[in-house]
Amino acid sequence: MGVLPDDPFPSDTDMVRAAIDAAAAAGERDIPVGAVVFDSAGRELARAANAREALGDPTAHAEILALRRAAAVHGDGWRLEGATLAVTLEPCTMCAGALVLARVGRLIFGAWEPKTGAVGSLWDVVRDRRLNHRPQVRGGVLADDCAALLDGFFRAQR
Ligand SMILES: [Zn+2]
């Protein structure tokens, strides 16, 4: 998907579906959240799953890992201008801050996270007018599928 130049530009649903696929790489102790970064032509730059437990790293959320990998291959230093980040769950404050700082052009996410969400639920970091970069946002894409991933994980924990 989106790898060859003549491929059609992936839809928002395609992008979130890719993030759902990415979540499958989470270790069995890690909450299955997946993130994928696409460049302005819709080509996949990088993907990652949450690896906070696997890496013993409080910052190893899927979005952070995907942004780091995407910047490493994109070729414009730390800037990801025009890129789209797709993630299965509404980002937290850390990840929302990171994607603003990375100059990501667009954020698409699946499930809402009423307890920690920073893209409209508890805070709205990415559309704060005091920041000089504000990505476009679309939430709730394939929300049920994304929430089902989490429900399955937490059910198995009990
Ligand atoms: Zn996060």
Side-chain angles (χ1 to χ4, degrees):
M1 184 193 71
V3 174
L4 299 171
D6 53 348
D7 277 358
F9 197 91
S11 68
D12 292 357
T13 306
D14 291 337
M15 289 184 175
V16 172
R17 202 165 278 130
I20 290 172
D21 289 346
E28 63 181 33
R29 291 182 306 131
D30 271 305
I31 298 168
V33 177
V36 184
V37 180
F38 298 86
D39 71 10
S40 58
R43 286 178 297 242
E44 181 176 326
L45 288 172
R47 60 171 59 197
N50 174 39
R52 193 172 55 172
E53 300 292 339
L55 298 177
D57 176 353
T59 71
H61 288 190
E63 300 96 310
I64 301 291
L65 297 176
L67 288 171
R68 283 185 179 143
R69 290 173 193 167
V73 298
H74 185 51
D76 190 19
W78 51 267
R79 287 176 194 79
L80 289 167
E81 265 166 68
T84 298
L85 173 69
V87 57
T88 54
L89 186 64
E90 181 183 357
C92 70
T93 47
M94 172 179 71
C95 295
L99 70 96
V100 168
L101 292 174
R103 306 277 193 273
V104 165
R106 215 164 163 243
L107 167 68
I108 304 168
F109 67 87
W112 296 90
E113 173 46 283
K115 291 193 213 108
T116 61
V119 187
S121 286
L122 271 192
W123 297 277
D124 199 350
V125 171
V126 300
R127 283 165 292 199
D128 191 315
R129 294 191 167 277
R130 293 166 293 187
L131 298 175
N132 64 5
H133 176 78
R134 290 184 292 280
Q136 291 179 11
V137 176
R138 185 173 169 206
V141 177
L142 295 178
D144 291 346
D145 298 297
C146 292
L149 270 178
L150 300 171
D151 291 345
F153 174 80
F154 288 114
R155 206 170 299 125
Q157 297 287 296
R158 275 184 232 128

